[in-house]
Amino acid sequence: MRPADVVRVGAVGLRTRPMRAFLSALGIAIGIAAMVAVVGVSSSSRADLDRALSALGTNLLTVSPGSTLTGEEAQLPREAEAMVSRIGPVGKVSAVGLVSDAKVYRNSEVPKVETKGIAVYAARTDLPDATGAELRDGVWLNAATGAYPATVLGATAAERLGIGRADPAVKVLVGGRWFTVVGILTPAPLAPELDSAALVGWPVAESTLGFDGHATTIYARAHDDAVEDVRDVLGATANPEAPNEVEVSRPSDALAAKRAAGETFTGLLLGLGAVALLVGGVGVANTMVISVLERRSEIGLRRSLGATRGQIRTQFLTESLLLSVLGGAGGALVGALVTAGYALWRGWPVVVPSWAVAGGAAATLVIGAVAGLYPAVRASRLSPTEALAAA
């Protein structure tokens, strides 16, 4: 038979039993849709993360004090920030210092124990350039406001204090003194410690809040091709007398680890999709076996009219493949639509990998062939007399 005849004959069973064909194809469609959607959503998420990393930069390094040999908390020298800035490949350097004794309250009526986990940091005026932090409202600290009671709140700190905008009339208690809220930050992915902090100027922290002037975190932007080299010398540069008491980290590594965890979770979901696909394949096989039993008279008639065993096998194998392909095509379409809808809802780039769609199509062909092989062979083995007698 010509290929067109094979397809036409193979589609007879689908046309005569449309509801059964639909339900069988639905099992395949669910499995393929699950697999395509899982891969598409995870790929879109990774694309959004890569876009964020590209915007923020992966060349940010942080320097913070570790522990001494006796287990006590170490301290960075006052000159650490200046010494780090002398490293050749380092472009931007900034720092914050924890004001440990200062607490933040919305007003004087709040109980002392309800600090809401908000830390107070002395901050340099060039901190946003180094960390990539952005303002949601208001302005950042400058040389003038940094010497007076003014503060910029992190995104989480502002939410906990119930402050939605920066305004000269909005004040908070910082270390027992009223500070004007001049700005509110957006979440800072590469410096998450700033999210739950109240940032004040370095001069006012020293003169008013009892800050000792030692940085607790130094942020350094290195040239992209020299990040690892800078990372190797940062500890010894920041504290030459005790480099072992310095911790150097790369914040973007945490985001990369988050992506790796997401990929592991994606693998789990793909396994669940594969199980759904297997269940769909069993449904197709069951449908084809029942189809052979119900169509014995048709098989006997075709055999008596000269159809060979090979043609009968081809007919039922083609029917199984068509059933699987219809389910796979529908599932791929549904999976792509789910990916697009979810990605657009989250504000992510829409990414549906072609290999996922191609892999889904290949999986449907394999499942269709495997599911239809036994029923096709069984149909071809029926003799014309046996089939017509059973009918």
Side-chain angles (χ1 to χ4, degrees):
M1 293 189 295
R2 295 176 301 176
D5 295 329
V6 171
V7 173
R8 186 161 51 251
V9 171
V12 169
L14 305 185
R15 292 197 302 268
T16 55
R17 298 168 180 81
M19 182 54 66
R20 181 184 295 173
F22 170 76
L23 293 176
S24 299
L26 183 61
I28 297 289
I30 291 174
I32 294 297
M35 296 180 69
V36 172
V38 165
V39 173
V41 169
S42 60
S43 298
S44 298
S45 175
R46 287 196 295 271
D48 181 68
L49 181 58
D50 291 340
R51 183 175 63 178
L53 284 174
S54 297
L56 294 170
T58 57
N59 59 344
L60 177 64
L61 299 169
T62 62
V63 180
S64 56
S67 301
T68 63
L69 293 176
T70 59
E72 299 176 351
E73 186 176 353
Q75 194 174 55
L76 293 176
R78 286 178 175 266
E79 302 80 12
E81 188 179 351
M83 291 189 290
V84 168
S85 65
R86 295 193 188 105
I87 300 175
V90 172
K92 299 176 182 177
V93 178
S94 191
V96 295
L98 178 64
V99 185
S100 55
D101 295 332
K103 307 298 179 184
V104 183
Y105 302 96
R106 187 67 178 88
N107 54 56
S108 58
E109 303 302 321
V110 178
K112 298 295 183 183
V113 295
E114 295 185 9
T115 62
K116 298 185 182 296
I118 300 174
V120 179
Y121 284 101
R124 298 296 190 187
T125 55
D126 55 0
L127 183 64
D129 292 335
T131 61
E134 297 180 352
L135 285 162
R136 190 187 77 197
D137 189 38
V139 296
W140 179 248
L141 302 169
N142 54 41
T145 56
Y148 291 92
T151 182
V152 174
L153 299 176
T156 304
E159 181 181 353
R160 291 175 182 173
L161 292 170
I163 297 175
R165 61 187 180 87
D167 190 277
V170 179
K171 299 180 184 296
V172 293
L173 274 175
V174 180
R177 296 198 56 178
W178 290 105
F179 276 63
T180 301
V181 178
V182 297
I184 298 175
L185 295 175
T186 61
L190 295 184
E193 63 276 6
L194 303 182
D195 292 343
S196 57
L199 303 163
V200 301
W202 208 278
V204 73
E206 290 181 312
S207 63
T208 305
L209 302 178
F211 176 50
D212 60 9
H214 290 271
T216 51
T217 303
I218 297 174
Y219 305 93
R221 289 275 185 180
H223 297 317
D224 292 336
D225 56 352
V227 171
E228 297 303 328
D229 293 334
V230 172
R231 190 177 188 174
D232 292 340
V233 301
L234 266 180
T237 304
N239 191 354
E241 295 183 358
N244 59 302
E245 297 179 359
V246 179
E247 293 184 354
V248 180
S249 63
R250 188 175 180 180
S252 57
D253 288 345
L255 295 178
K258 178 181 177 182
R259 178 170 59 186
E263 291 175 352
T264 301
F265 187 63
T266 297
L268 173 62
L269 293 179
L270 281 176
L272 295 177
V275 171
L277 194 58
L278 178 61
V279 172
V282 172
V284 171
N286 182 60
T287 297
M288 294 308 301
V289 170
I290 294 175
S291 180
V292 170
L293 295 176
E294 290 180 345
R295 296 161 65 187
R296 288 184 181 181
S297 59
E298 175 192 336
I299 296 170
L301 182 59
R302 294 197 64 221
R303 289 297 310 279
S304 64
L305 292 176
T308 64
R309 290 190 175 190
Q311 289 172 336
I312 297 297
R313 281 196 302 268
T314 302
Q315 173 188 349
F316 282 89
L317 189 58
T318 301
E319 184 175 331
S320 177
L321 288 172
L322 288 174
L323 197 58
S324 298
V325 167
L326 289 174
L333 178 60
V334 171
L337 292 176
V338 169
T339 298
Y342 189 78
L344 292 174
W345 176 61
R346 295 295 300 270
W348 297 344
V350 179
V351 179
V352 181
S354 57
W355 64 264
V357 178
T364 59
L365 292 176
V366 171
I367 288 176
V370 172
L373 186 60
Y374 170 71
V377 171
R378 179 171 178 173
S380 68
R381 287 178 178 175
L382 288 175
S383 65
T385 54
E386 179 186 354
L388 290 172

